[in-house]
Amino acid sequence: MIWSMLIGLFIGAVAGSITNRGERMGCFTKMFAGWIGSSVGQSLFGHWGPSFAGMALIPSIIGAVIVIAVVDFFFGGRR
């Protein structure tokens, strides 16, 4: 479980830095974005690339970027 949390945090942090939303996200938000993004990415793009804790990294990061972008579109404030 802890390993899955750490990998989810890593995936969420990478996706947050790609979308430039990482500084506004907390640690738990990054972890949940990584978990949900992993689920979305693997269901859309499959299980290819390196895998840690049952999460394929490349599709998971792409899925987390999608999740962060969609959430920011609907719930993000205007800049």
Side-chain angles (χ1 to χ4, degrees):
M1 181 73 172
I2 293 174
W3 184 245
S4 174
M5 292 169 66
L6 290 174
I7 298 300
L9 178 62
F10 172 75
I11 291 169
V14 171
S17 67
I18 289 172
T19 60
N20 292 324
R21 306 290 185 259
E23 66 277 353
R24 297 188 315 177
M25 296 169 51
C27 194
F28 289 113
T29 306
K30 289 179 187 175
M31 184 174 57
F32 287 123
W35 280 345
I36 295 168
S38 177
S39 168
V40 168
Q42 290 182 54
S43 65
L44 290 175
F45 304 112
H47 298 276
W48 52 275
S51 180
F52 294 103
M55 296 181 232
L57 288 182
I58 297 170
S60 297
I61 291 171
I62 295 169
V65 167
I66 293 169
V67 166
I68 290 171
V70 167
V71 168
D72 189 60
F73 178 76
F74 286 110
F75 298 109
R78 298 215 183 248
R79 286 177 228 108

